[in-house]
């Protein structure tokens, strides 16, 4: 299975003539996929190291969250981001301070990428006082105004209209900020998504719609669930430009994100980025993912893993040795283990917290 990338001008067919560099292309292409754009940028050593550390933090955090869920320390739903790390890290590398992020329930990676503390995120997963929602929100409902992260939302597609609302606030205030609204290939079929597209383009709102196409939504292949599987073209009828991106290559993500964010920031309106990515785990921790083969998952890990791609370039082009990689991994594991320890022993919320942060209408006389 290949990860493809192409740019689609609104109202025009996509140009698929380009060929990608050898190390950025897959050995075989899935039915209906596009060819990759050849302009994958080169990262500096510092950029590669930054991407490697940030993606590795998300990977190790999610692995630990999966362990803690299996131990019964995390309840409810838990949707892991393992395999998709390059999407949010590449987007954040192209964003500026003040830009906003909003997403669905596969959200832990987005929180960490926005700079939210591992302790606070893990403590919320375990329902503790030190969590970002004081232990009352869990996996799907965490926020940080300080870091401009507006959730985690459990209703499929709900974050898209809210992301457009953030863009409206930016447009109204003329503050130069851009809203990045993330959603998946399943949510892309929700009606409110297209209402949001229409309004965003009508008013030229500064929004980038990021479709994280991990190919299976809740467990059904996009080829069985979507009549139009080129999600970059979902905004054509509204005049919104779109682009397919290799969501497993952090360089390609950062490059496309820079174009999309600049388009939105300069008053040209919304932009759609279809990130062609892949999750290694099931839809949630309760999903055995029997709708795909083990060979398919293994092939994606071996040929397209976003972290291993960066590690390979750091080894080949910047001569990093095994000891340096071990030191990075040890530091990341220290952060994650500290978060898990804190989240295990932090007190649960007091019963009185049931009544905090709740609004009600005053009683009528």
């Amino acid at each position: 299975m290949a990860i493809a990338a192409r740019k689609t001008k609104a109202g025009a067919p996509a140009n698929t003539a380009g060929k990608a560099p050898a190390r950025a292309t897959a050995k075989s292409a899935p039915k209906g996929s596009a060819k990759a754009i050849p302009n994958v940028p080169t990262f500096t050593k510092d950029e590669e190291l930054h991407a490697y550390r940030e993606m590795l933090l998300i990977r190790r955090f999610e692995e630990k969250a999966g362990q803690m869920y299996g131990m019964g320390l995390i309840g409810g739903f838990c949707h892991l981001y393992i395999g998709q790390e390059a999407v949010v890290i590449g987007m954040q590398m192209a964003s500026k301070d003040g830009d906003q992020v909003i997403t669905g329930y596969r959200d832990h990676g987005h929180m960490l990428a926005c700079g939210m503390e591992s302790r606070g995120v893990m403590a919320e997963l375990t329902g503790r006082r030190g969590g970002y929602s004081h232990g009352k929100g869990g996996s799907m409902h965490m926020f940080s105004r300080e870091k401009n992260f507006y959730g985690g939302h459990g209703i499929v597609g709900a974050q898209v209209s809210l992301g457009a609302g953030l863009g409206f606030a930016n447009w109204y205030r003329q503050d130069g900020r851009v809203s990045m609204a993330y959603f998946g290939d399943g949510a892309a079929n929700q009606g409110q998504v297209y209402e949001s597209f229409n309004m965003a383009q009508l008013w030229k709102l500064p929004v980038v719609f990021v479709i994280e196409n991990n190919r299976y939504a809740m467990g059904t292949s996009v080829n069985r669930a979507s009549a139009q599987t080129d999600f970059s073209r979902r905004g054509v009828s509204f005049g919104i430009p779109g682009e397919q991106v290799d969501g497993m290559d952090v360089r390609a993500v950062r490059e496309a994100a820079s174009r999309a964010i600049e388009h939105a920031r300069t008053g040209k309106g919304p932009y759609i980025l279809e990130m062609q990515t892949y999750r290694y785990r099931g839809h949630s921790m309760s999903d055995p993912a029997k709708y795909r083969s083990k060979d398919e998952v293994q092939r994606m890990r071996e040929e397209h893993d976003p972290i291993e791609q960066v590690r390979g370039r750091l080894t080949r082009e910047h001569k990093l040795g095994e000891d340096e990689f071990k030191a990075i991994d040890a530091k990341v594991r220290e952060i994650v283990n500290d978060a898990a320890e804190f989240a295990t022993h932090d007190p649960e919320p007091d019963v009185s917290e049931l009544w905090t942060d709740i609004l009600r209408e005053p009683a009528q006389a």
Side-chain angles (χ1 to χ4, degrees), residues 230-297:
D230 182 345
F231 292 93
S232 72
R233 296 182 59 80
R234 292 297 183 95
V236 166
S237 63
F238 305 102
I240 302 175
E243 192 170 338
Q244 284 186 327
V245 184
D246 182 347
M248 304 297 273
D249 188 334
V250 69
R251 304 167 304 169
V253 174
R254 204 276 302 273
E255 178 77 1
S258 297
R259 288 191 294 272
I261 292 172
E262 179 66 13
H263 177 95
R265 202 185 306 279
T266 54
K268 297 176 183 176
Y271 203 100
I272 294 173
L273 292 176
E274 178 198 344
M275 298 294 179
Q276 296 193 329
T277 185
Y278 196 88
R279 55 174 165 79
Y280 300 155
R281 302 290 185 92
H283 172 70
S284 68
M285 285 297 296
S286 60
D287 174 16
K290 293 182 179 180
Y291 40 81
R292 57 185 180 178
S293 69
K294 292 182 180 179
D295 288 344
E296 177 185 301
V297 178

Side-chain angles (χ1 to χ4, degrees), residues 112 218 355:
L112 297 174
M218 287 186 69
W355 306 105

Side-chain angles (χ1 to χ4, degrees), residues 98-103 114 116 140-153 159 162-163 166 170 173 177 179-180:
D99 290 342
Q100 302 127 326
V101 170
I102 189 168
T103 188
C114 288
M116 293 168 66
M140 295 190 284
H141 303 287
M142 276 183 262
F143 304 81
S144 175
R145 285 289 299 275
E146 178 191 1
K147 300 298 183 181
N148 292 300
F149 180 77
Y150 288 82
H153 294 270
Q159 72 273 21
L162 294 173
L166 290 169
N170 297 336
R173 295 169 180 149
R177 295 181 175 186
S179 165
M180 290 170 281

Side-chain angles (χ1 to χ4, degrees), residues 105-125:
Y105 37 72
R106 198 178 307 281
D107 53 3
H108 315 149
H110 302 73
M111 299 170 194
L112 297 174
C114 288
M116 293 168 66
E117 293 294 330
S118 298
R119 276 189 166 198
V121 177
M122 194 70 86
E124 188 59 41
L125 296 182

